[in-house]
């Protein structure tokens, strides 16, 4: 779908999109949920997420843990996938593609054509999220370059290196300590919030850049890159392509 494609969507407040979903979170989503919930990013990750901050948590009843009495309790800070719904975003390289997702069965939504996709994105307040995603995306080629410097792929089998990095990044439990992944999602220490009470994603991106440049553990770096790729809507192999 293009931004000028005819599209409108009126929510029927059935709450079905807040159940039984897999919703990937980017570092900026975690910051925004934290601000809406009045919590630190550390507490937000513990309460609202899985997989080290990169997945929204759903309870045993299938409902998102932020859903209260049928309403989103973090509405002003709801993550990008919730704002985009019933659209989704896929990224490859420099390209991004909006796709129409399957409506939730029984949804009370009303689809129409009395607007455009661009209007819908604006109404949903997606702009700061899309700008933040561009900022974080710039870290991916930096990680790739750093891996080229750190790993001798004449001696290390690239496919095995990629396999281990993807497994480590996407494990929901039993994963190894990774300071880069911690810093990506638990951002208060790096975004300025801990010292000045303001979360600035650009400051966070700059701090991550410095950490990436100084990091010496290639597998940790690759796993962090894979998780960042996925959290921004790329495929897991995006950061490792060409290695
Ligand atoms: S499934 Fe659609 S209609 Fe129902 S609450 Fe979600 S956005 Fe609204
Ligand atoms: S964060 Fe809010 S909008 Fe998104 S799934 Fe949870 S309750 Fe629904």
């Amino acid at each position: 779908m293009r931004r000028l494609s005819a599209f409108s969507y009126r929510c029927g407040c059935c709450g079905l999109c807040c159940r039984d979903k897999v919703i990937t979170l980017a570092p900026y989503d975690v910051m925004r949920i934290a601000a809406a919930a009045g919590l630190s990013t550390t507490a937000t990750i513990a309460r609202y997420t899985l997989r080290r901050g990169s997945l929204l948590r759903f309870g045993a009843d299938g409902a998102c843990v932020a859903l209260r009495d049928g309403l989103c309790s973090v509405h002003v800070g709801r993550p990008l996938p919730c704002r985009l719904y019933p659209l989704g975003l896929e990224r490859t390289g420099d390209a991004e593609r909006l796709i129409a997702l399957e409506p939730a069965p029984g949804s009370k939504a009303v689809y129409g054509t009395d607007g455009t996709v661009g209007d819908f994105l604006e109404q949903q307040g997606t702009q700061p999220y899309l700008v933040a995603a561009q900022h974080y995306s710039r870290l991916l080629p930096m990680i790739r370059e750093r891996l080229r410097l750190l790993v001798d792929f004449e001696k290390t089998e690239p496919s095995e290196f990629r396999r281990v990095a993807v497994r480590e990044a996407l494990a929901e439990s039993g994963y190894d300590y990774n300071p880069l992944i911690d810093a990506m999602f638990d951002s208060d220490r790096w975004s300025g919030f801990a010292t000045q009470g303001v979360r600035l994603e650009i400051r966070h991106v700059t701090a991550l850049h410095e950490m990436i440049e100084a990091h010496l553990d290639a597998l940790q770096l690759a796993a962090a890159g894979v998780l960042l790729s996925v959290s921004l809507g790329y495929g897991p192999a995006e950061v490792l392509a060409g290695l």
Side-chain angles (χ1 to χ4, degrees), residues 176-191:
D176 293 334
Y177 167 67
N178 189 319
L180 291 173
I181 292 178
D182 288 353
M184 278 185 337
F185 292 94
D186 191 1
S187 58
D188 279 354
R189 189 170 155 206
W190 318 103
S191 66

Side-chain angles (χ1 to χ4, degrees), residues 1-8 84 87 98 115-127 130:
M1 299 177 86
R2 297 173 188 279
R3 285 182 183 244
L4 289 176
S5 302
F7 177 78
S8 62
L84 290 174
L87 305 181
L98 285 158
T116 64
V117 167
D119 296 336
F120 176 74
L121 296 181
E122 194 178 326
Q123 288 154 13
Q124 295 300 317
T126 58
Q127 185 64 9
L130 297 173

Side-chain angles (χ1 to χ4, degrees), residues 9-18 82 85-86 103-104 107-110:
Y9 184 82
R10 203 165 69 239
C11 175
C13 296
C14 61
L16 291 174
C17 56
C18 304
C82 304
Y85 187 86
S107 159
K108 292 186 179 160
V110 179

Side-chain angles (χ1 to χ4, degrees), residues 44-163:
T44 297
I45 288 166
R47 184 179 299 184
Y48 292 102
T49 81
L50 297 171
R51 206 176 65 188
R52 313 197 240 202
S54 68
L55 282 180
L56 194 57
R57 181 190 289 268
F58 286 73
D61 62 352
C64 170
V65 294
L67 194 65
R68 302 248 200 292
D69 301 325
L71 297 173
C72 177
S73 60
V74 294
H75 183 74
V76 295
R78 66 197 186 284
L80 180 62
C82 304
R83 290 173 188 266
L84 290 174
Y85 187 86
L87 305 181
L89 186 63
E90 290 178 347
R91 292 192 171 94
T92 321
D94 291 333
E96 64 178 34
R97 197 164 73 97
L98 285 158
I99 53 169
L101 302 176
E102 281 291 311
S107 159
K108 292 186 179 160
V110 179
Y111 285 81
T113 53
D114 54 332
T116 64
V117 167
D119 296 336
F120 176 74
L121 296 181
E122 194 178 326
Q123 288 154 13
Q124 295 300 317
T126 58
Q127 185 64 9
Y129 292 77
L130 297 173
V131 169
Q134 282 175 359
H135 293 152
Y136 286 98
S137 294
R138 290 193 198 116
L139 296 172
L140 297 176
M142 293 173 192
I143 293 174
R144 197 178 303 126
E145 279 314 303
R146 186 84 185 128
L147 288 172
R148 284 202 178 102
L149 285 174
L150 287 174
V151 185
D152 181 351
F153 285 107
E154 294 293 317
K155 294 182 181 156
T156 302
E157 171 57 43
S159 60
E160 176 62 7
F161 181 80
R162 284 195 291 266
R163 188 188 68 76

